[in-house]
Amino acid sequence: MSETFKIGTLVWAKMKGFPPWPGRVSNPPKDAKRQSVKKGQHCIYFFGSKNYGYIEEPQLKPYFEFKDTLKNANKSAGFKEAVAAIELFIENKGENFNDTASLNDSEEAFNRLKESSVPDSENEKSAKPDKPEKPKKPKKDVTAAKIKRENSKSGASPSVPRKKVKSSHLDDSTYSGLETSSILNHVGSPKKTPGSNLLDRPTNIIRPLIIICTLSPGHTSSRCGKYITNSKRKNVLPSDLKFGFLGLGIMGSGMVKNLLNSGHSVIVWNRTPDKCADFVKAGAEQGMTPSDVVQVADITFSCVADPQAAKDMVFGNCGVLPEMNPNKGYVEMTGIDAETSQDIADAILGKGGRYLEAQVQGSKVQAEEGTLVLLAAGDRQLFDECQSCFIAMSKNSFYLGEVGNASKMNLVLQMMAGVTIAGLAEGMALADRAGLQQKDVLEVMQLTALACPTILEKGKAIIDGGFSTHLPLQHLQKDLKLSLNLGDQLEQPLPLTASANEVFKHAKRLGYGEHDASAVYIRARF
């Protein structure tokens, strides 16, 4: 144990993507599973959000020594609440926390703090009792205070979603093997949403108890902690905000369907207005232009074809930019490069708006089932406000820090998918030319380490020969091209990606751009 950072020491703890946050060197929660802790890491309790996380010693600074410098490091409500919480803790304890000899005896006050609610207004702060009352047993009714208290115990990130997200307490060992089946034992009835056949198709929003968890650096990377929500089983509590959605293509249609089925208020726009009809019947509103959508919505999602289309939504005629203001949020879900994302962010921020990139991993099936993986970066508060939507759309959402990180992560994953599918196509073509039954190849493959959903799904599509579109070939080729551009900028050789891109380009030239990516087999075989 470091002499500088003993149990009970008050500190400023720095995680990537967050300002230095007030915390306390603490023992891990009693209900946390054991995990391996690297030398030089300390378990930190974050004030305000009441989360725990393991932080490396170089990222810690003594609280009192740097108080004057760091107490105004951030103007967000969560940060101010955290500073107020640590000051309240110091005041209630009534000890000189500069005296390290007293730190080992502060557990009683610390435990009282964890069970109490942080004042939400200045009036509440001024009305503090001289002696804190003992925490009452939780009532059956789920109050806002209970949601906040339970939500805050889930992991390592200094702040957590604050917009109507119901959660159960999970310690920060959740992703290192905690069985969730025993916790997910309350199943409600699906909410019925009147609408067309399109929106009446089953989804996996079955509304059992939702679990929100936050991973600490000990469970991802020692360099930074990534905020992750796990919504494999869902009980979506819709936000009171109004959401706009631009683009009702293969991915956008599925995402909007899940937003409506989970009770969100949505206004939609599509370049082809006829696509909006089913969603209007299901309860959505329709905007005549992207500008109209932004004018009405609090937060607007955009999911269109490519970087140029994404720019047109913002900068084009009747685009979203003229209507942006400090009360508006914009979430870009189109598969784009980091430079395009930064250009859009600069424009939105220049008008006083807030910007978040939320890249999508998945295909048509995952979009309809609400099991996508979302990679987000940008405005953290906007990420929190979108949580109910992200839970409806996805099984996991990751917050990756500054603008551009999510776009880069998405391109890396798409690059690997493209190379894999091209390799599968060549393998199936070789098997056919060698006189082997492709069904036999796929059956054997299922029993090997090569078996994965993408390979098996695309392998079946190759055998069937229909190439029904789940992931458009032209979209995957676009991502391969953007990945190569990123490689050029970083002087990173990508020879396999370059070869795969040429194969996809040829298949696209043959007229298979709007077919599924598995149609690249046509180029490989013929």
Side-chain angles (χ1 to χ4, degrees):
M1 176 65 67
S2 169
E3 291 298 321
T4 305
F5 300 109
K6 296 181 178 180
I7 297 295
T9 305
L10 301 183
V11 297
W12 295 96
K14 180 71 174 74
M15 293 174 61
K16 185 176 180 181
F18 302 95
W21 205 270
R24 177 183 184 272
V25 180
S26 307
N27 291 312
K30 293 181 180 179
D31 53 354
K33 286 194 174 183
R34 293 183 179 180
Q35 66 172 47
S36 58
V37 180
K38 294 183 179 180
K39 185 177 181 180
Q41 283 187 332
H42 298 277
C43 181
I44 303 298
Y45 170 87
F46 290 101
F47 285 89
S49 66
K50 302 182 183 178
N51 296 323
Y52 286 87
Y54 285 92
I55 306 295
E56 291 186 327
E57 202 164 284
Q59 305 303 320
L60 302 176
K61 295 183 183 296
Y63 178 77
F64 289 98
E65 182 180 346
F66 291 88
K67 175 181 174 181
D68 293 337
T69 305
L70 299 177
K71 68 179 181 180
N72 296 317
N74 189 273
K75 296 182 180 180
S76 69
F79 181 82
K80 291 179 180 179
E81 182 178 306
V83 173
I86 192 171
E87 290 298 323
L88 178 60
F89 172 51
I90 295 171
E91 180 181 341
N92 284 346
K93 182 64 179 73
E95 291 184 1
N96 179 10
F97 281 87
N98 286 296
D99 179 9
T100 57
S102 68
L103 295 176
N104 293 329
D105 300 323
S106 61
E107 290 302 316
E108 183 178 351
F110 177 61
N111 290 334
R112 288 201 305 268
L113 171 80
K114 291 193 295 183
E115 295 299 327
S116 64
S117 297
V118 178
D120 290 324
S121 67
E122 292 299 325
N123 292 335
E124 287 176 304
K125 291 177 186 176
S126 61
K128 296 188 298 289
D130 293 334
K131 295 182 179 179
E133 296 180 0
K134 294 182 179 179
K136 297 180 180 180
K137 294 182 179 179
K139 297 180 180 180
K140 292 182 179 180
D141 293 334
V142 180
T143 64
K146 179 179 176 184
I147 294 173
K148 181 177 180 181
R149 185 163 60 249
E150 291 183 352
N151 230 1
S152 64
K153 296 179 182 178
S154 59
S157 175
S159 63
V160 291
R162 301 184 182 277
K163 289 290 182 180
K164 288 195 173 185
V165 180
K166 186 184 294 183
S167 70
S168 175
H169 173 215
L170 280 185
D171 57 73
D172 58 358
S173 64
T174 302
Y175 263 72
S176 55
L178 179 62
E179 290 292 332
T180 59
S181 58
S182 61
I183 300 173
L184 299 170
N185 53 12
H186 172 70
V187 180
S189 301
K191 182 176 179 180
K192 294 183 179 180
T193 303
S196 66
N197 292 333
L198 171 68
L199 300 180
D200 285 337
R201 287 181 291 182
T203 72
N204 73 338
I205 303 179
I206 56 175
R207 306 193 182 284
L209 187 64
I210 180 65
I211 288 193
I212 300 289
C213 63
T214 304
L215 295 195
S216 69
H219 295 107
T220 52
S221 165
S222 61
R223 296 175 59 188
C224 61
K226 304 304 182 190
Y227 180 85
I228 303 174
T229 60
N230 181 344
S231 52
K232 185 176 181 180
R233 302 191 58 188
K234 304 183 178 185
N235 181 25
V236 182
L237 188 63
S239 169
D240 290 334
L241 300 176
K242 188 157 191 174
F243 297 92
F245 207 101
L246 308 177
L248 297 174
I250 290 177
M251 304 299 289
S253 294
M255 289 188 278
V256 172
K257 182 192 76 168
N258 284 314
L259 288 179
L260 291 171
N261 282 346
S262 58
H264 289 86
S265 176
V266 185
I267 176 170
V268 297
W269 174 90
N270 191 68
R271 184 176 56 181
T272 306
D274 292 345
K275 284 190 176 182
C276 298
D278 284 338
F279 297 97
V280 172
K281 291 178 183 178
E285 298 178 40
Q286 181 177 356
M288 299 302 296
T289 67
S291 183
D292 294 336
V293 173
V294 175
Q295 186 178 34
V296 175
D298 298 300
I299 297 173
T300 301
F301 297 95
S302 172
C303 185
V304 290
D306 52 41
Q308 186 56 52
K311 284 187 174 181
D312 290 343
M313 288 296 99
V314 178
F315 302 105
N317 185 35
C318 298
V320 306
L321 197 57
E323 297 297 334
M324 293 305 300
N325 61 58
N327 297 321
K328 304 292 184 180
Y330 192 72
V331 182
E332 184 58 78
M333 306 187 82
T334 307
I336 57 178
D337 55 287
E339 289 71 24
T340 299
S341 185
Q342 189 61 60
D343 290 344
I344 294 174
D346 291 342
I348 298 295
L349 296 175
K351 296 285 288 186
R354 297 177 297 150
Y355 177 76
L356 184 76
E357 57 177 5
Q359 302 291 277
V360 177
Q361 277 291 306
S363 63
K364 178 182 178 180
V365 173
Q366 286 77 46
E368 291 181 344
E369 293 179 347
T371 57
L372 297 166
V373 173
L374 298 179
L375 310 171
D379 190 295
R380 176 54 190 269
Q381 184 178 356
L382 183 54
F383 175 80
D384 292 345
E385 292 176 7
C386 291
Q387 273 307 299
S388 63
C389 296
F390 290 164
I391 292 169
M393 297 175 185
S394 70
K395 60 181 179 181
N396 294 85
S397 60
F398 292 69
Y399 179 78
L400 301 177
E402 61 186 19
V403 171
N405 286 351
S407 296
K408 293 174 185 176
M409 177 73 81
N410 184 59
L411 289 180
V412 168
L413 297 173
Q414 291 295 90
M415 177 190 77
M416 291 190 284
V419 172
T420 300
I421 293 172
L424 171 68
E426 287 196 358
M428 296 293 271
L430 178 61
D432 183 57
R433 186 61 62 92
L436 299 175
Q437 291 293 320
Q438 291 179 331
K439 290 183 178 180
D440 293 342
V441 174
L442 196 62
E443 184 177 352
V444 172
M445 190 186 302
Q446 287 180 301
L447 304 176
T448 71
L450 289 173
C452 75
T454 296
I455 289 180
L456 298 179
E457 175 191 326
K458 301 308 178 187
K460 290 176 182 178
I462 289 172
I463 293 172
D464 294 340
F467 308 118
S468 177
T469 307
H470 293 273
L471 172 62
L473 184 146
Q474 60 188 3
H475 289 179
L476 187 53
Q477 189 273 321
K478 173 260 300 179
D479 289 335
L480 289 173
K481 178 181 68 175
L482 295 177
S483 300
L484 290 170
N485 291 340
L486 179 60
D488 288 342
Q489 295 170 17
L490 302 175
E491 298 184 355
Q492 171 63 42
L494 301 172
L496 294 179
T497 306
S499 297
N501 184 49
E502 293 303 313
V503 176
F504 275 91
K505 281 168 58 179
H506 198 168
K508 183 179 174 182
R509 186 177 179 182
L510 292 174
Y512 289 92
E514 295 184 358
H515 289 71
D516 189 72
S518 54
V520 73
Y521 171 76
I522 299 297
R523 167 63 183 83
R525 177 64 180 86
F526 303 103

